[in-house]
């Protein structure tokens, strides 16, 4: 029996629910259907590469709806919030375990903000003799783009606010909320 998920209430940091769990689930269904269609003719498993940590819930929901053969791997990158990193600077902290060459790769990411992370990853993976590199991104903040990035599978556009839940955090908190919530701006 599947345990029923209770919906945690908003805490004092969270202003409102931006995208509820049912809406998320329907959109992930649609994205998975599109991926199943687009990769129906591949001859080897699609390589899903999740960007830790923010993508882990989106990736888990997406991959369980895939009917095309696939394998799952992860990478970790430094983000500009981390000590010593300049804005726009992206570094690989942990690479995939699998060799990506000769595979169709689908990068799975939580959110497109400036675009620096994804443009770095797409360039890096294309240089590895991959058959193709595409991207599934759960959220997009168009107002914040600095670098153009082409996204094949996009979940939702959101305004320029800090969001948490469904994998996304604020200081490591709130990742496991089943909805996307907007935080009150920090003073
Ligand atoms: P980029 O600026 O390289 O496109 O995105 C960098 C990273 O910033 C994203 O992968 C994500 O981890 C983080 N990020 C950007 N906006 C938000 C947000 O509203 N909430 C959370 N939790 N993370 C964000
Ligand atoms: Mg991220």
């Amino acid at each position: 029996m599947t345990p029923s998920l209770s919906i945690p209430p908003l805490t004092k940091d969270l202003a409102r629910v931006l995208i509820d769990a049912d809406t998320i689930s329907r959109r992930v269904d649609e994205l998975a259907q599109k991926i199943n269609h687009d990769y129906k003719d591949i001859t080897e498993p699609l390589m899903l590469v999740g960007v830790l940590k923010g993508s882990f819930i989106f990736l888990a929901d997406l991959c369980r709806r895939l009917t095309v053969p696939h394998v799952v791997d992860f990478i970790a990158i430094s983000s500009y919030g981390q000590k010593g990193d300049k804005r726009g600077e992206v570094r690989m902290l942990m690479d995939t375990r699998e060799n990506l060459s000769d595979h169709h790769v689908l990068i799975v990411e939580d959110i497109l903000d400036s675009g620096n992370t994804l443009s770095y990853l797409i360039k890096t993976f294309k240089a590895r003799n991959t058959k193709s590199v595409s991207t599934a991104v759960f959220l997009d903040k168009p107002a914040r783009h600095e670098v153009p990035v082409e996204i094949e599978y996009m979940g939702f556009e959101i305004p320029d606010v800090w969001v948490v839940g469904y994998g996304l955090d604020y200081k490591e908190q709130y990742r496991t909320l089943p909805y996307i919530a907007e935080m009150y701006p920090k003073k």
Side-chain angles (χ1 to χ4, degrees):
M1 200 180 87
T2 314
S4 65
L5 297 174
S6 62
I7 298 182
L10 290 173
T11 67
K12 61 177 175 22
D13 290 336
L14 307 179
R16 64 181 173 126
V17 174
L18 213 56
I19 311 170
D20 65 48
D22 286 344
T23 308
I24 290 173
S25 177
R26 281 195 300 273
R27 186 68 187 132
V28 177
D29 271 343
E30 289 169 1
L31 295 178
Q33 273 179 36
K34 194 160 178 256
I35 294 167
N36 287 330
H37 174 265
D38 292 352
Y39 290 94
K40 63 182 184 314
D41 297 325
I42 56 171
T43 51
E44 70 292 306
L46 173 63
M47 183 85 76
L48 302 175
V49 178
V51 183
L52 292 173
K53 299 177 191 176
S55 73
F56 82 112
I57 291 182
F58 175 45
L59 173 61
D61 281 351
L62 187 69
C63 68
R64 287 178 296 170
R65 288 161 157 101
L66 294 184
T67 52
V68 288
H70 60 276
V71 294
V72 176
D73 209 331
F74 292 96
I75 53 162
I77 44 143
S78 70
S79 74
Y80 50 71
Q82 282 168 358
K83 247 191 182 154
D85 285 334
K86 286 196 214 81
R87 237 199 112 71
E89 195 178 55
V90 181
R91 285 183 303 124
M92 184 91 74
L93 297 180
M94 184 191 85
D95 209 334
T96 55
R97 293 208 181 178
E98 303 297 323
N99 186 342
L100 301 186
S101 65
D102 294 324
H103 279 87
H104 293 284
V105 172
L106 179 62
I107 302 169
V108 182
E109 170 66 314
D110 54 0
I111 185 164
L112 175 63
D113 190 55
S114 69
N116 285 309
T117 305
L118 279 170
S119 71
Y120 164 84
L121 288 177
I122 293 166
K123 194 173 70 195
T124 304
F125 289 168
K126 280 191 172 160
R128 292 185 179 180
N129 292 319
T130 43
K131 282 192 174 150
S132 68
V133 178
S134 304
T135 310
V137 181
F138 184 62
L139 298 175
D140 182 20
K141 285 184 185 170
R144 307 243 327 154
H145 294 185
E146 292 169 13
V147 193
V149 187
E150 208 187 306
I151 306 297
E152 286 76 12
Y153 310 98
M154 172 58 71
F156 302 93
E157 279 191 9
I158 58 165
D160 181 13
V161 292
W162 192 262
V163 292
V164 295
Y166 204 64
L168 292 106
D169 74 313
Y170 172 70
K171 294 187 175 172
E172 293 304 322
Q173 281 194 86
Y174 305 122
R175 288 194 196 276
T176 59
L177 292 175
Y179 46 75
I180 290 290
E182 174 183 341
M183 290 202 52
Y184 285 116
K186 291 281 152 189
K187 283 157 214 122

